[in-house]
Amino acid sequence: MSKKHRPFSDPNNAFISEITENIISAAEWFCNSTEKTFDGTNEVFGAGRSSYWEAALSAHFLLKSEQYLILDPNSPRCTEINILQQKIRSTESDTFSWLIRSATHPNITEEIETNSKKNGYDENTLTQSYYNWDNNLWDTAMILHYIISFVLRHPIPTTISPKYVQKIVSGALSWIRYIIYLKHREHAKTTLSATDLAPVLAMIIDILKNPNVEVLLLGDKDTRNKLGLTSRHLRSLMHSIALRIANDMEKSSAGDKMVWSWNKYMATADGGEALAFYLAYLWDYSLYRKNSQLCCKIYNILLSSCNCLERKQKNNGTWGTHDDTVRCLNAYLIIGSVLKNIDQQITVPTGRRKLMARYISKKELEPTHPFHLQHDRVFKAIRWIFDEKHYCFDGSYLHSSYMTVFFSHALLTLAEFTAFTKERKTIYTIYDEVISLSTIESGADLIESIELKTANEHCKKDYLNAVFLNQILTAFAAAITILSSIIFLFHLTSNSVNEYIPMVFAVIVAVFAFTYTYIKSHEIIGIILRILD
């Protein structure tokens, strides 16, 4: 396919058309970058490096990109797209087969062995019934998510038995449950962070949204109940993981609800996206009634994280490095769309809003300043990401498989969640809107600006009052000191005890005046330092 100048080939094109072209280019790059697997039978992206999670994420992108490869039959590119669709289907199927065959039994570490003996786990169950990939929770969840998504859209390849697929999926889910339980103990040697748990939460939500998954991949009801993988078990696990992610993200806070001290942008994006999916799931399935407190807590965390991302974004539209910028843009769009959807529902005073008011306090959930997605920030990030210095003509990002995997998923998010694509705006139109938006403070910036101006005015008033008071106190202290000195000298030669009383009183008053003035002077210094800060 012909490649044109980056970041946008034609300013008169609709933004969605540009994004669709980039999705097609990325899909081509993935299909043309496949390698033979170790047995030489399958063509899989990342197989040469045995990078299971990269293969799963790239195939997951191809799976989601199919909806953007539907063209008019009379289009001159119809034949070209049909060939690409066949390559995509073949790559998806080969990747699925390779990943299923690559699942291994977990290694028994010292921590797992100790925990098994204490809690009555059979070591044979751990080594023969459980499965994972690279003994890593994050990798296993990502791969399992792709496997589940593939089965929902396409039939299982004939080269693999459906029962074997069932065995791998149920074994991997059981291992995930076991590891999460193991790391949750107070005396666990290592703990799981929000980044580790985020893909697990997203995967479980997809399973619960599609009841057919349980029948296709987890066996009959008795088997699922025996393994602890029924909807009830998975829903309980989902709530537990969401609470742990929320707590972990709260601990990363610097104390101020509106200022977060996260330095790891990737971790922020992972945790924020997972909680956004969870909150949307509760909202769509009316589960907020039983989880109202957690719902409010997550809402506030997501609101604070978006405000944090807005403040942390640099003038050129970036967050940290290339991969940080791609992931943060992806998370900002997903979280922002969920918050916007909820804001629209809780501000409607009819029907569902009245029902929700019974379970969720308006003061706890509804913000004083509703969240608004900053489209100028989004466009600045898009402009930097799609610059020809970063985005290559062959459809890859920096010619890196690692970067292209995350970039491709950001393309899908841009196509799905931005107002630019939904309204089919042209590049010129978006540019004009961004120029007008960039001159207006809004959202978190406006709130912060107003608060700073108000605080500055109060500080100036306090400073002037303190200076005036200090002058009066200084004059008063000087007068008292002079008067006390005169009284002291006048009575210095007197031998009468009664005559010493005024002198002692004068000294006490002088000490009091100087002490009071000294304290007030320090307060003035504090005010000056506050203004300088």
Side-chain angles (χ1 to χ4, degrees):
M1 295 182 183
S2 61
K3 310 296 181 186
K4 298 183 179 180
H5 181 70
R6 303 293 182 189
F8 307 114
S9 59
D10 186 354
N12 292 306
N13 285 346
F15 185 74
I16 183 61
S17 301
E18 292 282 337
I19 294 298
T20 302
E21 284 296 324
N22 293 325
I23 290 174
I24 293 173
S25 298
E28 277 190 320
W29 186 81
F30 280 123
C31 290
N32 294 332
S33 302
T34 56
E35 303 165 294
K36 288 287 185 181
T37 56
F38 57 88
D39 56 3
T41 56
N42 301 99
E43 290 281 348
V44 177
F45 175 79
R49 301 181 303 280
S50 294
S51 180
Y52 301 121
W53 71 267
E54 279 189 18
L57 277 179
S58 61
H60 209 162
F61 161 74
L62 295 176
L63 198 65
K64 294 179 178 179
S65 69
E66 291 179 7
Q67 60 179 312
Y68 299 100
L69 301 179
I70 301 174
L71 297 179
D72 184 358
N74 298 322
S75 172
R77 298 179 61 191
C78 188
T79 303
E80 186 180 6
I81 294 298
N82 287 336
I83 295 174
L84 178 59
Q85 286 177 335
Q86 293 175 6
K87 287 183 179 180
I88 288 175
R89 295 284 175 83
S90 175
T91 303
E92 291 170 358
S93 180
D94 287 349
T95 303
F96 176 86
S97 302
W98 180 60
L99 291 174
I100 288 292
R101 294 193 181 101
S102 301
T104 58
H105 295 296
N107 294 335
I108 304 299
T109 62
E110 181 182 351
E111 185 178 11
I112 292 178
E113 184 178 3
T114 304
N115 181 69
S116 302
K117 293 178 180 178
K118 287 184 178 180
N119 295 279
Y121 277 86
D122 183 9
E123 189 171 321
N124 292 330
T125 303
L126 299 177
T127 57
Q128 297 179 14
S129 300
Y130 288 177
Y131 290 90
N132 65 16
W133 286 266
D134 288 335
N135 264 339
N136 187 285
L137 181 65
W138 191 91
D139 292 16
T140 301
M142 285 292 188
I143 294 165
L144 204 53
H145 199 172
Y146 166 68
I147 290 173
I148 292 168
S149 300
F150 179 87
V151 172
L152 287 173
R153 296 196 182 193
H154 302 302
I156 296 175
T158 55
T159 55
I160 298 180
S161 168
K163 289 186 177 180
Y164 184 70
V165 174
Q166 220 176 69
K167 179 182 177 182
I168 296 297
V169 172
S170 60
L173 267 176
S174 298
W175 180 79
I176 288 174
R177 286 183 67 247
Y178 173 77
I179 290 298
I180 291 176
Y181 163 74
L182 175 67
K183 301 298 182 181
H184 187 57
R185 295 174 305 141
E186 294 182 357
H187 56 281
K189 293 182 178 179
T190 56
T191 58
L192 297 174
S193 64
T195 304
D196 299 320
L197 295 170
V200 180
L201 182 59
M203 176 197 63
I204 292 176
I205 290 171
D206 265 9
I207 294 176
L208 293 173
K209 283 183 177 180
N210 300 279
N212 293 333
V213 172
E214 295 184 28
V215 179
L216 290 172
L217 296 176
L218 302 178
D220 55 31
K221 187 174 181 180
D222 293 336
T223 303
R224 297 198 305 271
N225 193 45
K226 182 180 179 181
L227 296 173
L229 298 177
T230 62
S231 297
R232 178 173 58 84
H233 291 103
L234 293 177
R235 194 172 290 113
S236 175
L237 181 62
M238 175 187 69
H239 295 317
S240 174
I241 293 174
L243 179 61
R244 290 172 65 179
I245 293 176
N247 290 336
D248 187 48
M249 294 178 75
E250 271 194 334
K251 290 178 183 178
S252 301
S253 161
D256 187 350
K257 293 182 179 179
M258 299 299 293
V259 181
W260 293 66
S261 61
W262 296 332
N263 294 319
K264 297 181 179 179
Y265 292 109
M266 294 281 279
T268 305
D270 288 342
E273 283 181 14
L275 289 183
F277 291 140
Y278 173 75
L279 190 60
Y281 176 78
L282 294 183
W283 222 258
D284 293 340
Y285 290 85
S286 300
L287 298 175
Y288 48 80
R289 306 176 186 179
K290 297 180 180 180
N291 305 276
S292 59
Q293 292 184 350
L294 181 58
C295 189
C296 295
K297 181 177 183 177
I298 291 175
Y299 180 93
N300 292 326
I301 288 174
L302 294 179
L303 185 63
S304 297
S305 62
C306 274
N307 290 332
C308 171
L309 289 175
E310 290 173 0
R311 292 194 179 104
K312 294 287 186 179
Q313 188 184 36
K314 298 178 183 177
N315 292 331
N316 61 353
T318 63
W319 291 275
T321 58
H322 292 81
D323 51 351
D324 291 333
T325 301
V326 171
R327 289 292 294 120
C328 283
L329 176 61
N330 193 74
Y332 183 68
L333 290 171
I334 292 175
I335 298 172
S337 64
V338 171
L339 293 179
K340 183 179 179 181
N341 180 47
I342 293 176
D343 283 344
Q344 289 174 347
Q345 294 186 42
I346 64 177
T347 53
V348 177
T350 58
R352 192 174 182 182
R353 179 66 185 91
K354 291 182 179 180
L355 179 65
M356 289 187 290
R358 302 177 188 174
Y359 304 99
I360 299 178
S361 170
K362 183 178 179 180
K363 293 182 180 179
E364 289 181 343
L365 184 59
E366 188 170 355
T368 307
H369 306 278
F371 176 77
H372 296 286
L373 199 67
Q374 303 297 305
H375 295 299
D376 55 329
R377 297 181 181 277
V378 174
F379 190 77
K380 281 167 61 178
I382 292 172
R383 175 64 182 84
W384 187 86
I385 290 172
F386 283 90
D387 191 273
E388 58 186 355
K389 296 177 182 177
H390 315 134
Y391 186 31
C392 305
F393 290 140
D394 60 357
S396 67
Y397 200 79
L398 296 173
H399 298 295
S400 165
S401 59
Y402 170 80
M403 282 300 309
T404 308
V405 164
F406 292 114
F407 171 73
S408 61
H409 284 269
L411 289 175
L412 296 174
T413 303
L414 284 171
E416 184 177 357
F417 290 106
T418 56
F420 308 146
T421 56
K422 292 180 180 179
E423 299 175 15
R424 297 194 65 84
K425 295 181 179 179
T426 64
I427 304 299
Y428 274 138
T429 303
I430 296 172
Y431 183 78
D432 292 339
E433 291 181 358
V434 168
I435 291 297
S436 61
L437 286 172
S438 62
T439 60
I440 303 173
E441 283 187 312
S442 58
D445 292 333
L446 180 59
I447 299 169
E448 185 180 17
S449 177
I450 293 173
E451 290 176 349
L452 288 174
K453 288 178 181 177
T454 304
N456 190 32
E457 290 177 359
H458 287 309
C459 285
K460 287 182 179 178
K461 290 180 180 178
D462 292 341
Y463 172 73
L464 293 175
N465 292 334
V467 169
F468 180 70
L469 180 61
N470 185 60
Q471 291 174 348
I472 294 176
L473 289 174
T474 304
F476 174 75
I480 292 295
T481 304
I482 294 171
L483 183 60
S484 300
S485 300
I486 293 172
I487 295 172
F488 180 78
L489 293 173
F490 182 76
H491 294 281
L492 187 62
T493 58
S494 177
N495 296 325
S496 176
V497 177
N498 294 330
E499 292 179 354
Y500 277 100
I501 295 176
M503 182 180 66
V504 174
F505 176 75
V507 172
I508 293 173
V509 171
V511 172
F512 172 76
F514 274 112
T515 303
Y516 190 72
T517 305
Y518 178 79
I519 293 172
K520 284 298 179 181
S521 299
H522 274 66
E523 289 184 5
I524 292 171
I525 294 172
I527 292 172
I528 295 173
L529 291 176
R530 257 197 344 241
I531 294 174
L532 292 176
D533 289 339

